[in-house]
Amino acid sequence: MSENTELTKGHFRKGFMWGAATASYQIEGAWNEDGKGQSIWDTFVHTGHIEDGTNGDITCDSYHKYQEDINMLKNLKATHYRFSLSWSRLLPTADSSSPNPAGVAFYNKFIDALLASNIKPCVTIYHWDLPQCLQDIGGWQSDDIVEKFKEYSDFCFSQFGDRVKLWITINEPHVQCGFGYGNGIHAPGIKDPLNACYQVSRTMLLAHAHAYRVYDTKYRKTQNGQISITLNSDWCEPKDPTNPEHVKAAQFYIDVTLGWFANPVYGDGDFPASMKKCILENSTAQGLEKSRLPTFTEEEKNLIKGTYDFFGLNHYTTRLAEPVSEATQDYLMHPDLAVYVHPDSSWERAGSDWLFIVPNGLRKLLNYISKTYGDPSIIITENGCSTKHPLNDPGDTKQLVDEQRCRYITSYLNEALKAHLLDGVDLRGYFLWTLMDNFEWAAGHTERFGLHHVDFSDENQTRTPRKSAAVYTRIIEENGFSAP
């Protein structure tokens, strides 16, 4: 990739959303306080599975320290804050007629405190922490979950929608399908890549669509908000752009990751044609009479199609793709994904093994989404850079002078600016992942994305700003990049 990486001077649109993003299980703590029910992540972490043996029982303790979080947002000059609701805190038995008053009161206090500080909430309804009581009766693998999610979403709109004007139904469904139901490294830990991950993708799409339709028909007129889904996507390029097979491999990778959910919502209501073809062929080769990929009825396709007000995008990194070979067949990300994806050897790596720093990949992805899905308004709902914190490191692990993260934020945001200014992409906002170090899922505390360091060994979970916080604040204050 030899594109010009010099910083472009200029500004984002007036009213651009500037924020940081978090998720309930990763920051709240108070896992069994004030009537909260258990989630699948409570169950998962208490039975092992986490790299450093940590859990989200306390983590950042934002349930008690939310005002400190708001103070950090104010210091950043953030205009918005993306956070998620804990389904099991609000509805411990997943019954919308029996809510937990303390859970409702907590989110009311938090939303009111944000607005009192002139920070607008962007609320994710579901960020992976399914109530365990629903998992016990089939969870996302059961069609019954669709109606339960619809009821839960309706409850959230009724309780908070008078003040929340930006909603996200489900965060990164393809990641939960792959990690939660494919390789099992996330809750609920199911390892069934050939079946379960596809079953769950169907119910998640239907659940999202029903939640959107409820908002559209019951609340939009009075609440005047916006609602969509957030999808995660790498950018992917052919290893050899002159080789048609490499070009085809890169497109297929995008189809079965981004397109898996984007095509139904932002396209024709159905899974991508290349994905359907591949899985049908593989299923037939296994002697099955029909595809392992579920189908949608025409009614369901019409229900799902167009259920968005913006395109929510989480993006971190870029991949190169080529057809799988005998030498690379052991490195497939999924049995149905006969594509070998990998980084270029020249790319700088962040603290996570999978995160390589390729800023212009963001610009290319934004352009791809704009051209492929009818020029939707796009909000970057996550983007960030990790540092590695070794297990039992006796030294200073704060890494307060986080130069790599400073470069990452600056370069990725500048590529986003180029997409807006030079390419005409309709970009409306940017939420950096993340406000502070937190419980980073299977990695525990060994990988950290925070603008603020959190001392998890201190009972006060002391927050300390890193250099990147000041870098991000300057870009927010300038609404882009001013001439020196």
Side-chain angles (χ1 to χ4, degrees), residues 30-98:
W31 75 282
N32 61 353
E33 290 186 37
D34 294 344
K36 178 186 172 294
Q38 282 206 28
S39 76
I40 57 174
W41 272 95
D42 292 317
T43 302
F44 192 68
V45 301
H46 293 151
T47 52
H49 305 294
I50 308 305
E51 183 175 343
D52 58 358
T54 57
N55 56 53
D57 290 2
I58 300 174
T59 184
C60 306
D61 198 24
S62 290
Y63 185 74
H64 300 109
K65 299 179 181 298
Y66 66 88
Q67 190 59 55
E68 291 185 31
D69 299 348
I70 293 173
N71 291 340
M72 291 190 295
L73 289 160
K74 288 169 65 176
N75 289 336
L76 288 174
K77 305 294 194 284
T79 62
H80 290 70
Y81 181 46
R82 180 187 168 210
F83 62 96
S84 75
L85 302 173
S86 167
W87 192 342
S88 55
R89 192 180 300 283
L90 287 168
L91 306 177
T93 61
D95 181 353
S96 60
S97 67
S98 300

Side-chain angles (χ1 to χ4, degrees), residues 16-17 19-21 82 122 124 127 166-175 227-236 253-254 257-262 265-266 308-318 358-373 376-384 408 412-413 415-417 419 425-433:
F16 192 77
M17 303 176 212
R82 180 187 168 210
C122 170
T124 305
H127 199 130
L166 199 61
W167 293 95
I168 292 165
T169 54
I170 298 174
N171 178 76
E172 296 185 351
H174 109 250
V175 175
I227 181 170
S228 282
I229 194 169
T230 274
L231 307 180
N232 179 73
S233 183
D234 303 336
W235 177 238
C236 189
Y253 178 78
I254 293 175
T257 51
L258 176 65
W260 187 1
F261 290 86
V265 174
Y266 300 92
Y308 69 92
D309 296 325
F310 56 89
F311 196 114
L313 174 67
N314 293 356
H315 171 76
Y316 290 87
T317 193
T318 289
V358 192
N360 56 37
L362 174 57
R363 180 182 180 184
K364 292 176 181 180
L365 180 58
L366 290 170
N367 273 277
Y368 176 85
I369 291 169
S370 181
K371 291 177 173 63
T372 304
Y373 299 112
S377 299
I378 302 173
I379 301 173
I380 298 171
T381 42
E382 284 183 28
N383 175 245
Y408 183 101
Y412 271 76
L413 269 169
E415 292 298 318
L417 179 66
V425 172
D426 185 7
L427 186 61
R428 301 298 181 99
Y430 177 91
F431 290 80
L432 192 141
W433 186 270

Side-chain angles (χ1 to χ4, degrees), residues 76 409 432 434-436 449-453 464-466 468-469 472:
L76 288 174
I409 293 169
L432 192 141
T434 178
L435 178 63
M436 59 193 157
F449 286 79
L451 292 171
H452 297 82
H453 171 264
T464 306
R466 293 190 169 103
S468 55
Y472 187 42

Side-chain angles (χ1 to χ4, degrees), residues 348 385-389 396-409 437 448 450-453 464-471:
E348 180 184 2
C385 181
S386 60
T387 49
K388 189 71 175 177
H389 293 248
D396 177 18
T397 60
K398 291 184 178 181
Q399 302 188 36
L400 297 181
V401 184
D402 52 342
E403 295 292 355
Q404 186 183 64
R405 184 176 291 111
C406 294
R407 294 194 306 272
Y408 183 101
I409 293 169
D437 295 342
R448 306 191 185 189
L451 292 171
H452 297 82
H453 171 264
T464 306
R466 293 190 169 103
K467 181 179 180 180
S468 55
V471 168

